[in-house]
Amino acid sequence: MACVSDQKPSLINHPSTSTSISDFPNICEVGDQSSVSMKPPSLLRLRCSVQNYDWGQIGEESHVAKLFSRNSMEPIDAHKPYAELWMGTHDSGPSFVVDSGIGDQMGTAVSLKAWLRENPKALGEKVLDKWGGDLPFLFKVLSVAKALSIQAHPDKELARCLHKLHPTTYKDPNHKPEMALAITEFEALCGFVSVEELKSVLTSVPEIVELVGSTEEQFFNIKEQDGEDKVKSALQLIFTQLMSTSKDAVSEMVNKMKSRLDVEIKVRELTDKEKLVLRLEKQYPADVGVLAAFFLNYVHLKPGEALYLDANEPHAYIYGNCVECMATSDNVVRAGLTPKYRDVPTLCSMLTYKQGFPEILHGVPVNEFTRRYSPPFDEFEVDQCTLPSATSVEFPSTTGPSIFIVAAGEGSLQTSATEETIVQGDVFFIPAGTEFSIKAPFMGLLLYRAGVNSKFLI
């Protein structure tokens, strides 16, 4: 999940070449293609952007930091948060092509976006027809130390409207369905709890009842069999009331809840949700998001499990490392657990208010070593390839492009035209129609590949 930031992303190059960042005195701006003239290779080695949002894991603790360091040959700053590694063409964190034969005579580094505009056939005909000359997906690795904001991503219609009205806050006109695939144990809030669970919350959390007033009584009169529209209307009413409460009132009730739970923990075992909100309160004191967490499903992903999020669904990542893929967008509407701009009216009006525990994807085997995670979105899917030592795997050509990252290990990548040594932190763009194989002769490899959903490409 992307977060809009005022920080300029770091640009990184690849460690296996002698090229340093100082060797690229001019960075080709997105849209500036006057110097770009290249013959399409079978694959492109990429240097990518890193985002240092304050919720990222610090220094050596961060998986993103390790990937960044291997990709850039830059030392890890022990005091700096490393939150997201971006792989793709979004203007807020572009990837650049690393190849001594690519660029103009002055040695200008070429963005992947600019390269694709000069080489659109690398995207494949179906992708070009639907999305034009750009990647439809954005690929990331996240290292989360503290909760990201309670947020949702707008659908296409709302995204176009928000971008037109507030282009500095909502930076593009695209929607942003997304999927998170756990690398480690991963915690998140996602979607609204059921009617019955929410009634239990309103019975056991008196501080929320004090804030929402009479809307609580209206909600208790609702039954799930009353019809979806009536249930959603009641949920929207009570959630909007909570999120719109004054800061002073919220601060008072959050402190009151914390004091109550600090006493009750001495005489009973707190629920998982109660333990979570106490953690959130330490990270974001007096924040309405601490109370809003009671309305959302608390999801624990094991490594290899994935969670997908459609447009207009509330969520917040809490802790852990994951691979994330989404439609190429950076639109985020926030309402809690954040020091950043909050757009409470927009968020409360845009949500679907769908209830129930989200679907967890476990991946479908595509070969002995690879599992595929295919959410119901055309823009993307993700493969996880776990390759033991002394083994190899072939990736057949597809009619769409893909990007893959080496998350751990060392081996080699081979196409019909070239063979490359690959190590942790390597990122490659694979054009449509390219077959390649991966070998792990001496140690195991962990790879993640993002590509256009194969169901769309059929």
Side-chain angles (χ1 to χ4, degrees):
M1 94 202 28
C3 295
V4 178
S5 173
D6 294 330
Q7 304 174 37
K8 186 176 181 66
S10 301
L11 301 175
I12 59 181
N13 64 290
H14 190 269
S16 66
T17 71
S18 59
T19 309
S20 69
I21 198 71
S22 61
D23 293 320
F24 294 97
N26 302 303
I27 298 298
C28 181
E29 297 294 333
V30 173
D32 178 10
Q33 304 162 51
S34 58
S35 64
V36 184
S37 179
M38 296 152 272
K39 180 181 179 181
S42 58
L43 57 86
L44 299 176
R45 190 185 289 269
L46 301 179
R47 59 186 175 92
C48 305
S49 298
V50 69
Q51 308 284 10
N52 302 106
Y53 306 133
D54 63 2
W55 50 259
Q57 295 180 11
I58 305 297
E60 293 280 355
E61 297 177 359
S62 171
H63 192 62
V64 165
K66 294 171 184 176
L67 295 173
F68 165 80
S69 181
R70 293 301 299 267
N71 196 286
S72 65
M73 290 189 70
E74 292 186 19
I76 296 172
D77 187 331
H79 306 290
K80 195 172 187 177
Y82 292 84
E84 298 185 352
L85 183 69
W86 286 30
M87 299 165 280
T89 59
H90 196 281
D91 295 350
S92 296
S95 295
F96 289 81
V97 175
V98 177
D99 190 310
S100 59
I102 295 179
D104 66 11
Q105 294 180 354
M106 297 299 292
T108 300
V110 176
S111 71
L112 177 59
K113 187 169 187 174
W115 186 89
L116 287 171
R117 286 177 174 171
E118 283 292 303
N119 300 275
K121 290 184 178 179
L123 294 168
E125 185 176 341
K126 293 194 73 172
V127 173
L128 272 171
D129 287 345
K130 181 161 185 177
W131 292 291
D134 195 8
L135 277 182
F137 62 86
L138 176 59
F139 197 25
K140 301 181 183 181
V141 180
L142 274 62
S143 291
V144 181
K146 66 177 184 178
L148 283 69
S149 54
I150 291 179
Q151 60 184 260
H153 307 301
D155 58 30
K156 286 185 178 181
E157 182 178 355
L158 180 58
R160 284 193 291 266
C161 180
L162 292 173
H163 178 63
K164 183 177 180 179
L165 293 174
H166 309 288
T168 58
T169 300
Y170 303 107
K171 296 187 176 182
D172 57 75
N174 198 18
H175 69 160
K176 192 188 169 189
E178 64 186 27
M179 178 175 67
L181 171 55
I183 299 174
T184 62
E185 299 281 338
F186 195 78
E187 300 172 64
L189 294 169
C190 178
F192 288 100
V193 299
S194 67
V195 169
E196 294 308 314
E197 186 173 346
L198 186 51
K199 287 181 178 180
S200 176
V201 167
L202 295 174
T203 301
S204 60
V205 188
E207 296 81 13
I208 291 179
V209 175
E210 287 192 51
L211 291 179
V212 300
S214 61
T215 56
E216 174 259 348
E217 295 179 9
Q218 296 179 44
F219 191 82
F220 264 102
N221 293 326
I222 292 292
K223 298 180 175 59
E224 293 191 2
Q225 58 265 35
D226 283 344
E228 185 177 354
D229 289 344
K230 189 173 181 180
V231 171
K232 287 184 176 182
S233 178
L235 176 56
Q236 180 173 1
L237 182 65
I238 194 171
F239 186 72
T240 302
Q241 178 67 35
L242 173 67
M243 301 305 291
S244 304
T245 303
S246 70
K247 290 183 179 179
D248 288 344
V250 167
S251 178
E252 179 185 355
M253 287 302 109
V254 170
N255 290 332
K256 189 174 181 179
M257 181 202 66
K258 180 180 182 300
S259 297
R260 176 175 59 82
L261 292 179
D262 285 344
V263 171
E264 292 183 12
I265 197 172
K266 298 175 182 178
V267 295
R268 69 175 178 89
E269 177 76 13
L270 298 185
T271 68
D272 287 346
K273 185 68 73 68
E274 288 171 332
K275 293 175 183 177
L276 172 63
V277 297
L278 288 178
R279 286 169 56 195
L280 297 178
E281 190 278 333
K282 289 182 180 180
Q283 296 172 7
Y284 300 96
D287 194 295
V288 69
V290 175
L291 297 174
F294 281 106
F295 284 67
L296 305 177
N297 296 293
Y298 187 18
V299 180
H300 296 258
L301 296 180
K302 298 177 181 178
E305 294 183 334
L307 174 73
Y308 68 84
L309 303 158
D310 209 340
N312 303 326
E313 295 296 339
H315 60 280
Y317 294 161
I318 303 300
Y319 185 81
N321 296 279
C322 75
V323 167
E324 189 181 42
C325 200
M326 64 204 67
T328 302
S329 174
D330 197 24
N331 283 321
V332 183
V333 183
R334 300 179 180 86
L337 302 181
T338 180
K340 297 180 180 179
Y341 172 70
R342 303 178 185 212
D343 192 347
V344 173
T346 297
L347 183 124
C348 290
S349 64
M350 69 188 274
L351 298 178
T352 66
Y353 293 96
K354 181 173 66 175
Q355 293 177 276
F357 202 80
E359 180 183 1
I360 304 301
L361 301 181
H362 297 88
V364 176
V366 293
N367 58 49
E368 184 180 359
F369 306 115
T370 307
R371 301 189 72 83
R372 176 161 295 165
Y373 301 80
S374 298
F377 315 126
D378 289 344
E379 287 89 346
F380 62 89
E381 67 186 12
V382 174
D383 289 345
Q384 176 183 280
C385 180
T386 306
L387 200 61
S389 61
T391 60
S392 64
V393 65
E394 293 187 359
F395 288 83
S397 65
T398 71
T399 56
S402 61
I403 290 176
F404 83 84
I405 180 170
V406 182
E410 181 177 340
S412 65
L413 178 151
Q414 186 171 7
T415 70
S416 59
T418 186
E419 184 169 0
E420 299 267 355
T421 298
I422 57 174
V423 297
Q424 183 186 47
D426 280 353
V427 181
F428 288 89
F429 172 79
I430 308 295
T434 303
E435 295 181 354
F436 66 99
S437 61
I438 303 289
K439 297 179 181 179
F442 307 117
M443 62 169 53
L445 276 167
L446 176 61
L447 312 169
Y448 294 95
R449 183 201 69 91
V452 176
N453 198 305
S454 54
K455 295 176 183 177
F456 168 79
L457 295 174
I458 293 175

